[in-house]
Amino acid sequence: MGGSAPAASESASWQALLGLERRRAGEQAIVRALLERLCERAGWRAAELELADDEGSGARLQVGSAGTGGAAGWPSLALPGATLRYRPGESADGASPADGDLVALAAAAHAWRLRLVLERQRFAINYRGVELEALYDVGLAIASTLDFEQLCEEILLRAVSLLDARRGALYLERGDAYRLGKTLGGSAREQIARDAEEVRRLVGGRQEGACLLPGASYELAVPIEVDGRPRGLLVVGDKESRHGVGPFPDTDRRTLGLFANQAAIALENARLHRDALEKERLERDMQLAAEIQRRLLPTVYPQVAGLELVGWSRPARHVGGDYYNLLARPEGRVVAVVADVAGKGMPAALMVSTAHSALNLLLDRSAVGPDLVARLNRHILEASAPNKFITLLLAELDPANGDVHYVNAGHNPGLVLRAGGGVEELPPGGLPLGMFGGEYRDARARLDPGDLLCLYSDGITECADRRGEEFGPERLADLLRRGAGKPIGELVREVDGATLEFAEGSDQADDQTLVLLRRS
């Protein structure tokens, strides 16, 4: 800086002026006074001071006669944090300003700049407070409902209102895509892949060019995430202003991101609540179905002289695909049936109900034999899906002479355990029900006094241990043979305990059913 040092009186004058102007109008007035004084002392026609634009504090102040060309081509001086431009007077360059003048101007400019920065920061803090208060109110509003559909509408409405947007859309994650959940103010794209380049650009900050909101000039989108996992996408379009619509500033992106965090928590709570209600409803339905199925099984067995009989069934789930029954027939005969539907759970239980109803109707009108089973097969074919079938073993026992008349439709061979230790099988005489419209063969066996007839489902013999070895019909036969002198109710409990022990704590893989008849 050129020029001579200011006199003591001049320094005192500057100090008095600084104090006076500070009391009157603050930092900007001081800068203006100093610029006017500088123009007067240096012989300039005009001067302009421009503050540095870092931290968003840029401001400009001009005094004097600027003329028609503007200050762009004026000579300039660099000051700390500011630039001084001036319009020379009559002489070529005008007088050189004194160092004291420039120091005072630099000090005043610095004070002005600090004031502007502080005001801007204070405004930002106040705005942040208002923003957080608004977000808090919005968060309370959306957290007050657990209805998923209502919550989606509330989130979208609040987001559009919060950012003064004309339009909006809420997308929910479905597999590898975002699918449209709700829209407001106009149409929106129905679906888009989560990893689509358009989504990456939009989330990355690109606003121009409609991606998800057709016809929108600007779009702002933020992901909705729970524990880092995508749950959805929140999109707003075309920010309202006095001049129409425009882009969203960076502060809006931050605000929408904070709101999306709150929305994610609310959506996750609503989803968990919805899932819990659905699970509770399904459990009630399953309990009801299990109760209905239990009523299909006999609770009281026929009392027949010279014959012991018992049945037992344990489903792998709430409801199962196994079925058994013991029915009294005319002249003291007893019908025993064991059936196994392919599959488990509710579909199999429905097939069990169909088979139970049809079999009971046919038994009232027909004798046990191939014709009855063929008619039952036709009914199952008409009432069941193509991939569903039922294995069935139907046997009629005359306790007077021990005659057993049976039809085995693709079921496990029944076992006749002789009192003397031998074992005979009742093999299949046709395909399972519901597969084809074929013929069935009947066969006969005889129970002598002390002999035991065992009908079972493959859930018992195919029960596997942790090494994959199956329980098998041989173990079942050996277990029943060793208990030849025990009550048949005790034999059922021993089979139950033996299979549980054999499985070594593994989950039951299939329904288990057992029917025992002993001629005494």
Side-chain angles (χ1 to χ4, degrees), residues 177-329:
Y178 289 124
R179 295 187 63 183
L180 182 63
K182 295 291 179 181
T183 182
L184 183 65
S187 63
R189 191 166 173 176
E190 287 294 330
Q191 179 173 313
I192 190 169
R194 279 205 337 248
D195 59 352
E197 181 63 27
E198 296 167 293
V199 173
R200 286 197 292 267
R201 289 199 303 265
L202 188 59
V203 173
R206 179 176 177 178
Q207 294 190 32
E208 297 183 2
C211 170
L212 297 176
L213 308 177
S217 299
Y218 303 95
E219 293 178 350
L220 177 64
V222 295
I224 298 175
E225 297 180 336
V226 176
D227 296 331
R229 300 189 304 272
R231 286 289 184 265
L233 193 68
L234 186 55
V235 188
V236 293
D238 291 344
K239 186 176 181 66
E240 293 274 12
S241 69
R242 295 179 181 178
H243 309 292
V245 298
F248 296 89
D250 290 339
T251 53
D252 279 356
R253 178 174 295 278
R254 180 190 62 197
T255 300
L256 191 61
L258 293 173
F259 176 68
N261 292 339
Q262 293 180 315
I265 296 172
L267 284 171
E268 185 69 5
N269 289 339
R271 184 188 67 81
L272 293 174
H273 178 70
R274 181 185 62 183
D275 291 349
L277 291 178
E278 180 65 14
K279 181 180 179 182
E280 183 179 346
R281 185 189 66 80
L282 289 175
E283 287 178 350
R284 288 197 303 267
D285 290 347
M286 293 298 289
Q287 289 171 358
L288 178 61
E291 179 61 26
I292 293 173
Q293 189 175 42
R294 280 193 294 270
R295 293 180 182 179
L296 299 180
L297 304 180
T299 55
V300 178
Y301 305 123
Q303 300 296 313
V304 181
L307 192 65
E308 297 177 79
L309 46 85
V310 69
W312 168 82
S313 184
R314 180 173 59 206
R317 301 178 182 173
H318 287 288
V319 293
D322 277 8
Y323 169 72
Y324 80 91
N325 210 343
L326 291 162
L327 302 169
R329 297 284 283 172

Side-chain angles (χ1 to χ4, degrees), residues 136-470:
Y136 177 75
D137 293 339
V138 169
L140 289 179
I142 65 175
S144 62
T145 178
L146 290 174
D147 183 274
F148 195 83
E149 293 298 320
Q150 181 181 346
L151 177 62
C152 289
E153 293 180 0
E154 189 72 19
I155 287 173
L156 187 54
L157 178 62
R158 296 281 178 169
V160 169
S161 301
L162 190 64
L163 298 186
D164 295 325
R166 282 190 177 180
R167 305 172 56 180
L170 175 64
Y171 288 83
L172 300 175
E173 179 262 345
R174 293 290 186 275
D176 293 332
Y178 289 124
R179 295 187 63 183
L180 182 63
K182 295 291 179 181
T183 182
L184 183 65
S187 63
R189 191 166 173 176
E190 287 294 330
Q191 179 173 313
I192 190 169
R194 279 205 337 248
D195 59 352
E197 181 63 27
E198 296 167 293
V199 173
R200 286 197 292 267
R201 289 199 303 265
L202 188 59
V203 173
R206 179 176 177 178
Q207 294 190 32
E208 297 183 2
C211 170
L212 297 176
L213 308 177
S217 299
Y218 303 95
E219 293 178 350
L220 177 64
V222 295
I224 298 175
E225 297 180 336
V226 176
D227 296 331
R229 300 189 304 272
R231 286 289 184 265
L233 193 68
L234 186 55
V235 188
V236 293
D238 291 344
K239 186 176 181 66
E240 293 274 12
S241 69
R242 295 179 181 178
H243 309 292
V245 298
F248 296 89
D250 290 339
T251 53
D252 279 356
R253 178 174 295 278
R254 180 190 62 197
T255 300
L256 191 61
L258 293 173
F259 176 68
N261 292 339
Q262 293 180 315
I265 296 172
L267 284 171
E268 185 69 5
N269 289 339
R271 184 188 67 81
L272 293 174
H273 178 70
R274 181 185 62 183
D275 291 349
L277 291 178
E278 180 65 14
K279 181 180 179 182
E280 183 179 346
R281 185 189 66 80
L282 289 175
E283 287 178 350
R284 288 197 303 267
D285 290 347
M286 293 298 289
Q287 289 171 358
L288 178 61
E291 179 61 26
I292 293 173
Q293 189 175 42
R294 280 193 294 270
R295 293 180 182 179
L296 299 180
L297 304 180
T299 55
V300 178
Y301 305 123
Q303 300 296 313
V304 181
L307 192 65
E308 297 177 79
L309 46 85
V310 69
W312 168 82
S313 184
R314 180 173 59 206
R317 301 178 182 173
H318 287 288
V319 293
D322 277 8
Y323 169 72
Y324 80 91
N325 210 343
L326 291 162
L327 302 169
R329 297 284 283 172
E331 302 177 2
R333 293 190 301 273
V334 173
V335 169
V337 57
V338 172
D340 185 0
V341 177
K344 297 180 286 295
M346 188 65 72
L350 293 174
M351 286 285 291
V352 165
S353 178
T354 300
H356 168 80
S357 302
L359 180 60
N360 279 271
L361 287 174
L362 291 172
L363 284 171
D364 286 341
R365 303 174 183 178
S366 306
V368 172
D371 181 63
L372 183 149
V373 176
R375 293 172 65 185
L376 180 61
N377 179 46
R378 288 195 295 271
H379 180 81
I380 298 299
L381 273 171
E382 294 173 356
S384 64
N387 61 338
K388 290 295 181 183
F389 60 87
I390 305 175
T391 66
L392 175 139
L393 201 162
L394 180 66
E396 185 177 44
L397 172 65
D398 186 347
N401 56 20
D403 181 62
V404 179
H405 181 206
Y406 70 91
V407 179
N408 187 339
H411 197 74
N412 305 91
L415 301 176
V416 176
L417 292 97
R418 301 298 181 187
V423 178
E424 297 178 13
E425 292 186 343
L426 308 183
L431 294 173
L433 308 179
M435 295 185 70
F436 304 101
E439 297 182 352
Y440 294 90
R441 301 186 306 275
D442 59 348
R444 294 185 180 272
R446 178 177 294 277
L447 288 186
D448 295 324
D451 290 348
L452 177 71
L453 173 62
C454 171
L455 309 181
Y456 61 92
S457 68
D458 57 9
I460 293 177
T461 54
E462 293 179 3
C463 171
D465 61 14
R466 295 187 179 278
R467 296 177 299 278
E469 182 180 356
E470 294 184 349

Side-chain angles (χ1 to χ4, degrees), residues 65-79:
S65 175
T68 58
W74 295 357
S76 62
L77 296 172
L79 301 179

